[in-house]
Amino acid sequence: MPLHPSDLLSSTYQSLRRNTLRSVLTTLGMFMGVAAVTATLHARSISQAVIAAELAKRDAPQALVGVAWVPRRERIALKAEEVEYLRSRLPGLKAIAAVNWVGSTNALFQGAEADPEVLAVSKDFLATDGYELTLGRSFTEADYRNFHPVVIIDQFLVERLFRGKNPLGQRIYAKRRPFTVVGVMPTKERKSEPKGLILIPLAIYSAITADQTVDTIQVRPQELRNLETLGNQASQLLKQNRPGREMWDFTNAKDILEQQKTLDLASQGLTVVAVISLLVGGVGIANVMIASVTERTPEIGLRRAIGATRGDVMLQFILEAASLSLVGGIVALTTVHGLTLVVADTFKLPYEFEVSTGAIALGSALLVGIGAGLPPALRASRLDPVKALHAE
């Protein structure tokens, strides 16, 4: 009759305890493999967090496309409507906007003044540049359609002009014209000292200047790795739309892209090492299980003779392999987590343990351990009880 689960577990424990040194060495092999896997996952997680933190300080990754100046050739300017032309033709696009750089201007509010930069933007600029408003609202379709004199300002300008007052609904003067503040956005990190930033609807700027052209079109990809490709595609499409036009394109996160490529290569290298380490650990478990089957052949015959089924025998050897893997995996996961905490604290790196990391590490350990122990377990279950009892 089949063994009771408690008897099966007890038998597994006694078997592993009987060969303590061999069990410890086998567990050590699996420890190295799982440690390599866990370290790889932690390194990838930390690198992604570092890149995300760096991106949060600056404008969202985007490609800027503009018309190049060519001597003795007519400059064919961009039009705001070409935003929609690109939107329907660019795969992997997250957001797109047209922008005119108005320049620095004098901004006034009740005696306080500043010299911020002014950008005239289309309605999706905030999504394209990665801004999230801290107060108020973004520009609406009605603002563009009805030429509302509204602005969004950054936090630096709020502190410089309003000095603790609520800026929403207040009227400021920029370029000697009145504008109503409807939103506040954070001040992004710049290489130079901040001066403040004002956004105005592109429709208002075009109406004031009677200029329907735009300086640049900004495109933001769904995936960072597609940034350069998206910029090149936008440039080529705009050239096709107006034959004879020469374009330039620029990405604002080239350093981040290079950093990510380096980290991806390092991660791939670590992954190869982790896989090899796991396979070595699996080979160690397979060798131990094969040796164990050979040594315990008479024991297997005796157990079969007193009623143990083939399934009992196979399950015990699989449990032994799984136990060695699981113990090695848990110790490796705990050790690498502790070391990662120390390194992250020392170098001020963003680190938070992820449940998925633990699941992948322990899952890979069990998968390799059970896979390595299955052939010896099948061999043990197929032994003839009579021949096994007479084996020396």
Side-chain angles (χ1 to χ4, degrees):
M1 59 181 294
L3 287 176
H4 191 274
S6 61
D7 294 331
L8 192 61
L9 291 173
S10 176
S11 179
T12 300
Y13 170 73
Q14 293 298 331
S15 176
L16 294 175
R17 185 180 178 185
R18 192 182 310 142
N19 298 284
T20 304
L21 181 59
R22 188 162 62 187
S23 297
V24 170
L25 292 177
T26 306
T27 302
L28 181 62
M30 188 53 65
F31 168 89
M32 299 300 292
V34 177
V37 171
T38 308
T40 300
L41 294 173
H42 284 341
R44 183 177 301 169
S45 176
I46 290 174
S47 65
Q48 290 174 347
V50 168
I51 290 176
E54 181 63 28
L55 289 175
K57 298 177 183 177
R58 56 169 79 181
D59 296 339
Q62 58 193 277
L64 287 72
V65 184
V67 178
W69 180 80
V70 180
R72 295 183 298 278
R73 185 182 296 183
E74 180 187 4
R75 184 176 183 274
I76 306 174
L78 292 173
K79 300 285 188 178
E81 53 265 26
E82 289 182 288
V83 166
E84 298 306 319
Y85 170 79
L86 291 178
R87 192 192 302 275
S88 61
R89 290 169 173 79
L90 286 176
L93 182 69
K94 184 173 184 178
I96 182 170
V99 180
N100 264 335
W101 186 72
V102 181
S104 297
T105 189
N106 184 253
L108 300 171
F109 174 74
Q110 296 182 357
E113 61 181 300
D115 297 300
E117 294 181 350
V118 180
L119 295 179
V121 300
S122 62
K123 61 182 179 180
D124 290 331
F125 173 80
L126 293 175
T128 307
D129 235 37
Y131 283 101
E132 293 185 3
L133 296 183
T134 55
L135 285 174
R137 64 170 178 84
S138 58
F139 297 138
T140 64
E141 187 66 38
D143 292 331
Y144 288 90
R145 186 174 58 252
N146 300 321
F147 303 97
H148 292 160
V150 293
V151 294
I152 295 173
I153 62 176
D154 71 344
Q155 188 61 40
F156 177 87
L157 202 57
V158 170
E159 296 169 0
R160 179 63 61 90
L161 294 181
F162 295 94
R163 300 173 184 175
K165 296 180 181 179
N166 184 356
L168 297 182
Q170 301 289 351
R171 180 172 294 180
I172 65 172
Y173 285 82
K175 287 188 174 294
R176 300 181 180 180
R177 293 178 179 273
F179 292 92
T180 301
V181 178
V182 296
V184 176
M185 58 189 178
T187 300
K188 294 282 186 175
E189 185 177 278
R190 307 288 181 187
K191 293 181 179 180
S192 57
E193 288 295 322
K195 298 172 57 180
L197 180 63
I198 295 178
L199 303 182
I200 65 174
L202 186 60
I204 287 286
Y205 175 77
S206 298
I208 293 173
T209 61
D211 184 359
Q212 302 300 314
T213 65
V214 295
D215 294 332
T216 60
I217 292 178
Q218 301 177 189
V219 292
R220 180 181 178 183
Q222 292 281 1
E223 300 289 341
L224 177 61
R225 63 176 178 270
N226 298 328
L227 179 59
E228 291 183 334
T229 301
L230 193 67
N232 292 333
Q233 289 175 341
S235 179
Q236 291 301 317
L237 284 170
L238 290 171
K239 287 176 67 175
Q240 294 172 13
N241 190 42
R242 297 292 296 276
R245 173 191 279 167
E246 292 296 327
M247 305 298 301
W248 58 263
D249 60 86
F250 166 78
T251 58
N252 70 339
K254 191 172 183 179
D255 57 330
I256 297 294
L257 283 172
E258 292 175 353
Q259 183 181 355
Q260 186 175 55
K261 289 177 182 177
T262 301
L263 291 172
D264 286 344
L265 287 174
S267 179
Q268 291 171 8
L270 288 172
T271 301
V272 172
V273 172
V275 171
I276 293 174
S277 299
L278 272 177
L279 291 177
V280 170
V283 170
I285 288 178
N287 286 334
V288 167
M289 291 295 103
I290 291 172
S292 181
V293 170
T294 303
E295 292 174 357
R296 295 159 59 187
T297 298
E299 175 192 332
I300 295 170
L302 179 60
R303 291 185 58 196
R304 290 294 311 280
I306 63 176
T309 65
R310 285 186 174 184
D312 291 335
V313 174
M314 183 174 69
L315 186 56
Q316 180 175 343
F317 281 94
I318 289 177
L319 280 175
E320 291 177 14
S323 299
L324 293 173
S325 300
L326 192 59
V327 170
I330 291 173
V331 175
L333 189 63
T334 305
T335 303
V336 174
H337 172 61
L339 291 174
T340 306
L341 283 174
V342 173
V343 173
D345 183 65
T346 302
F347 295 98
K348 308 300 181 186
L349 297 173
Y351 168 69
E352 184 176 346
F353 181 77
E354 297 178 356
V355 176
S356 59
T357 297
I360 292 172
L362 294 182
S364 62
L366 283 173
L367 182 64
V368 171
I370 293 173
L374 186 59
L378 286 171
R379 177 187 169 190
S381 69
R382 292 170 180 171
L383 288 174
D384 183 271
V386 177
K387 293 181 180 180
L389 282 170
H390 291 85
E392 296 183 357

